[in-house]
């Protein structure tokens, strides 16, 4: 299906109008009991349900959310198996007691924890060879993943096709897509722990989820910022109590009780560890 209208620069063009018309026809099949559907415009971001007519109006006024390339709220599957031969591989899959484990997260962690000494890929007469890094230098880096690998091999509950780790990763993905608050996730986890079978390997709350995912190394670095965006309390300014530019206090007043609360926090997502993870998996190594 052509979804180029998402990135079309001219919302008055015939091409964009045809794209909106196609989307609206699809959206008519994915409405709630009141006839409303998720609005994917740049302001609503699928967080609000609107009538079909309002959705159409929003798409012409605001445009599509440019990240909504997979229409998961309007019929597309969130988790699809890739049919691209470029991503197929004859590398042995992780096993447990001789049984192949079909779990994406476990496969990725297996690549990290048990890298092949030399893995070759062939695509369109192009050979890409990935040699194993020096074992002594990589042992410390792999320790957290060894722990995650053991967790990933544990099913959510006996008989479940997903591991607890894969389920938690998917749950956090839904949290981001649907703008869930931490409180709403806590309530959902509480309910799931009540209804699932005994021995379920599911965290009790959002804090437990974050602890489980911590070793993936994909977290963010929190950096305090000036109330008026003058400067960051970072590097040489890290220990300052007042802004070096406007002298505004770094923290909100709390009358001496509890923990100091910064006026603003910048969340920095380092690029390097994310690129390293892409090189560690056989599923993305060819693309990299």
């Amino acid at each position: 299906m052509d979804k180029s209208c998402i990135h079309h620069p001219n919302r008055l063009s015939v091409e964009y109008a045809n794209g909106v018309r196609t989307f609206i026809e699809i959206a008519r099949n994915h409405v709630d009991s009141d006839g409303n559907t998720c609005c994917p415009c740049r302001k609503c971001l699928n967080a609000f349900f609107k009538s079909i007519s309002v959705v159409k109006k929003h798409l012409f006024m605001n445009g599509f959310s440019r990240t909504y390339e997979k229409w998961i709220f309007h019929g597309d599957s969130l988790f699809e198996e890739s049919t691209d031969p470029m991503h197929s591989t004859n590398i042995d899959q992780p096993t447990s007691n001789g049984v192949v484990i079909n779990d994406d997260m476990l496969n990725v962690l297996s690549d990290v924890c048990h890298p092949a000494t030399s893995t070759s890929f062939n695509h369109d007469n192009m050979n890409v060879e990935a040699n194993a890094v020096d074992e002594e230098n990589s042992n410390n880096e792999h320790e957290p993943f060894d722990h995650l690998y053991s967790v990933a091999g544990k099913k959510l509950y006996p008989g479940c096709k997903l591991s607890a780790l894969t389920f938690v990763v998917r749950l956090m993905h839904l949290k981001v897509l649907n703008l869930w608050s931490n409180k709403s996730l806590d309530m959902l986890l509480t309910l799931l722990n009540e209804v699932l079978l005994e021995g379920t390997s599911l965290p009790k709350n959002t804090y437990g989820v974050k602890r489980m995912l911590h070793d993936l190394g994909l977290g963010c670095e929190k950096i305090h910022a000036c109330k008026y965006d003058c400067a960051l309390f970072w590097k040489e300014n890290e220990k300052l109590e007042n802004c070096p530019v406007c002298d505004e206090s770094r923290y909100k007043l709390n009358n001496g009780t509890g923990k100091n609360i910064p006026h603003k926090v910048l969340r920095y997502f380092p690029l390097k560890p994310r690129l390293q993870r892409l090189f560690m998996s056989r599923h993305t190594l060819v693309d990299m």
Side-chain angles (χ1 to χ4, degrees), residues 7-112:
H7 302 286
H8 203 287
N10 185 6
R11 296 200 290 274
L12 298 178
S13 67
V14 175
E15 292 82 3
Y16 185 81
N18 290 337
V20 171
R21 189 178 300 112
T22 300
F23 173 81
I24 291 299
E25 289 304 314
I26 295 173
R28 292 185 191 280
N29 299 320
H30 298 88
V31 296
D32 61 15
S33 57
D34 297 323
N36 298 328
T37 188
C38 291
C39 180
C41 78
R42 295 182 190 178
K43 290 188 177 180
C44 294
L45 298 174
N46 286 304
F48 302 100
F49 281 80
K50 303 290 183 182
S51 66
I52 292 294
S53 60
V54 171
V55 169
K56 184 176 181 180
K57 179 181 178 181
H58 280 199
L59 291 177
F60 279 109
M61 291 177 59
N62 307 323
F64 276 94
S65 166
R66 297 196 175 185
T67 60
Y68 192 48
E69 296 181 342
K70 184 177 288 188
W71 294 350
I72 60 173
F73 298 108
H74 303 92
D76 284 2
S77 173
L78 178 59
F79 305 104
E80 295 179 337
E81 292 293 331
S82 173
T83 57
D84 187 346
M86 179 177 179
H87 293 89
S88 63
T89 175
N90 294 323
I91 300 175
D92 292 337
Q93 297 294 315
T95 60
S96 177
N97 297 325
V99 179
V100 174
I101 303 173
N102 185 19
D103 189 306
D104 292 339
M105 183 59 65
L106 190 57
N107 290 337
V108 172
L109 291 173
S110 176
D111 293 339
V112 178

